[in-house]
């Protein structure tokens, strides 16, 4: 897609994988998948890649996809340090050695904690055995540790990091996400157990993909380990 105001274009690669939460209660089996999104923003010559993937196979698909755009990859920007968004840096740099991997300082710290033992062995490799790129290569810290995304900027496109492939990159997802969190907080106050909270949210959002984070969030909200 092209932004007429700046002549920049962007493209997205969306790949599905199993969810991380493996103790979900019965039901909603058709929603228990996760779509990770990587976005390439590019002009006539250069490009910036936003986000990578979790597994070796998916990151290799990402490398080939970026190559197909025939641009100079200048940066790989990691939005946050979760492994399913950051574990592809090593493979991207092997394919594009001149690219610079960058992130906010807090994201670099998080990527290091998630990408080193024992966390990578106990969490990521335990769920995706033999599929996690190692050793990890981490992004470099940008100056400052925050940046701002506001609806007031009136964006033309908004790409979700876990995008539903069937939905457009509509800026309305900002308001929809805000409303989802508000509903979660409201129902948290109205329910007693994590199961009640989870089921109340499912009733309100029956078609929202990937209920794993909802289950995990409900457990945390109610103090259940």
């Amino acid at each position: 897609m092209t932004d007429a105001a700046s002549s920049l274009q962007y493209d997205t690669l969306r790949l599905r994988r199993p969810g991380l939460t493996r103790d979900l209660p019965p039901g909603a089996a058709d929603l228990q998948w996760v779509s990770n999104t990587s976005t390439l923003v590019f002009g006539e010559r250069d490009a910036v890649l936003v986000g990578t993937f979790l597994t070796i196979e998916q990151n290799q698909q990402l490398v080939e996809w970026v190559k197909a755009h025939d641009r100079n990859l200048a940066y790989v920007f990691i939005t946050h340090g979760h492994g399913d968004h950051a574990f592809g840096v090593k493979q991207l740099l092997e394919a594009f050695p001149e690219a610079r991997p960058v992130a906010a300082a807090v994201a670099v710290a998080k990527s290091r904690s998630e990408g080193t033992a024992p966390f990578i062995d106990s969490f990521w490799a335990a769920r995706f055995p033999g599929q996690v790129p190692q050793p990890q290569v981490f992004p470099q810290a940008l100056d400052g540790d925050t940046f701002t995304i506001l609806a007031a900027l009136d964006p033309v496109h908004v790409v979700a990091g876990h995008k539903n492939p069937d939905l457009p990159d509509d800026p309305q997802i900002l308001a929809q996400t805000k409303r989802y969190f508000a509903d979660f907080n409201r129902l948290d106050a109205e329910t007693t157990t994590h199961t009640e909270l989870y089921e109340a949210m499912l009733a309100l959002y029956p078609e929202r993909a990937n209920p794993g984070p909802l289950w995990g969030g409900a457990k945390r909200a109610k103090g259940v380990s």
Side-chain angles (χ1 to χ4, degrees):
M1 297 185 182
T2 302
D3 183 343
S6 67
S7 76
L8 289 176
Q9 301 179 68
Y10 83 96
D11 198 3
T12 56
L13 179 63
R14 301 174 297 274
L15 299 177
R16 292 190 179 190
R17 61 165 173 79
L20 298 175
T21 306
R22 304 297 168 83
D23 67 336
L24 277 168
D30 59 322
L31 302 177
Q32 294 176 22
W33 51 267
V34 181
S35 175
N36 271 63
T37 309
S38 186
T39 303
L40 191 71
V41 182
F42 54 95
E44 293 185 3
R45 184 187 65 183
D46 298 324
V48 175
L49 181 68
V50 182
T52 69
F53 292 112
L54 169 58
T55 69
I56 295 170
E57 179 182 357
Q58 289 194 335
N59 283 307
Q60 187 55 46
Q61 292 182 58
L62 177 60
V63 166
E64 298 305 321
W65 178 78
V66 173
K67 286 181 177 179
H69 287 79
D70 194 26
R71 297 294 195 279
N72 170 54
L73 185 63
Y75 292 93
V76 178
F77 178 66
I78 302 301
T79 58
H80 61 294
H82 289 169
D84 55 337
H85 298 269
F87 279 173
V89 172
K90 176 177 181 291
Q91 287 167 261
L92 265 297
L93 293 187
E94 289 172 349
F96 304 96
E98 300 302 317
R100 182 186 174 199
V102 295
V106 290
V108 174
K110 181 64 173 177
S111 67
R112 287 185 176 277
S113 69
E114 293 218 356
T116 53
F119 190 87
I120 196 170
D121 297 323
S122 62
F123 186 83
W124 292 109
R127 289 164 173 77
F128 297 88
Q131 302 176 65
V132 178
Q134 296 193 57
Q136 286 293 307
V137 175
F138 303 107
Q140 305 164 9
L142 292 168
D143 293 336
D145 60 1
T146 62
F147 63 92
T148 301
I149 300 176
L150 299 168
L153 295 176
D154 195 23
V156 177
H157 310 288
V158 175
V159 180
H162 293 289
K163 173 181 166 58
N164 185 330
D166 299 326
L167 298 180
D169 300 324
D170 194 317
Q172 291 184 12
I173 65 174
L174 296 173
Q176 293 167 355
T177 300
K178 182 178 180 180
R179 184 167 59 251
Y180 183 87
F181 286 134
D183 286 333
F184 181 91
N185 291 335
R186 175 178 59 81
L187 291 173
D188 181 24
E190 296 174 2
T191 57
T192 303
T193 69
H194 64 287
T195 301
E196 290 175 349
L197 175 54
Y198 173 76
E199 291 178 347
M201 283 294 289
L202 277 186
L204 197 58
Y205 295 92
E207 300 301 321
R208 193 177 182 95
N210 187 19
L214 171 59
W215 177 246
K219 291 172 66 176
R220 176 165 297 204
K222 300 302 185 183
V224 178
S225 59

